[in-house]
Amino acid sequence: MERITEDQVARLVGFVSARIPETAPLQGEARRTAAALRLAANKQIAAVRFHRAAPPVSGATPDLAAAAWNLLVDFAEIWRDHPEFPADAAKETFEFDCDSPL
């Protein structure tokens, strides 16, 4: 995760957050879908920020931080064809242990 900069995190977070519509003007299934997307995105964003700020504990933090980042990148890939997609920020990292990723 050291090679992922705060700027990359901010740009990817901003991109994902801007793509999810606000739920207030929506109705029915569209509202539930937007709420679920926002909840999932916010959980990944919080996980990335938490694990980047947390001190290393028994080697688990880098693994969880990388996994959280990779899931956020995967989430952003939904809008890969969007003209503002931050391709230089949406880089996966594979620092976790492949034998026991979580």
Side-chain angles (χ1 to χ4, degrees):
M1 280 298 296
E2 292 83 29
R3 54 193 179 116
I4 304 299
T5 67
E6 287 301 319
D7 179 61
Q8 286 174 297
V9 172
R11 286 187 297 129
L12 194 64
V13 165
F15 175 78
V16 169
S17 295
R19 304 285 80 72
I20 302 170
E22 292 298 324
T23 57
L26 302 174
Q27 298 292 323
E29 188 65 27
R31 185 178 202 158
R32 288 187 293 277
T33 300
L37 284 172
R38 179 136 337 258
L39 178 65
N42 286 344
K43 284 185 177 232
Q44 284 314 121
I45 291 165
V48 166
R49 288 184 172 152
F50 173 80
H51 289 296
R52 285 181 63 85
V57 178
S58 71
T61 301
D63 293 348
L64 292 175
W69 174 257
N70 289 343
L71 287 170
L72 184 59
V73 168
D74 287 343
F75 202 90
E77 292 281 336
I78 294 170
W79 300 282
R80 182 164 236 342
D81 293 335
H82 192 281
E84 296 175 19
F85 182 76
D88 58 327
K91 304 287 185 196
E92 289 185 335
T93 182
F94 294 100
E95 296 172 3
F96 54 87
D97 179 2
C98 291
D99 294 331
S100 178
L102 293 178

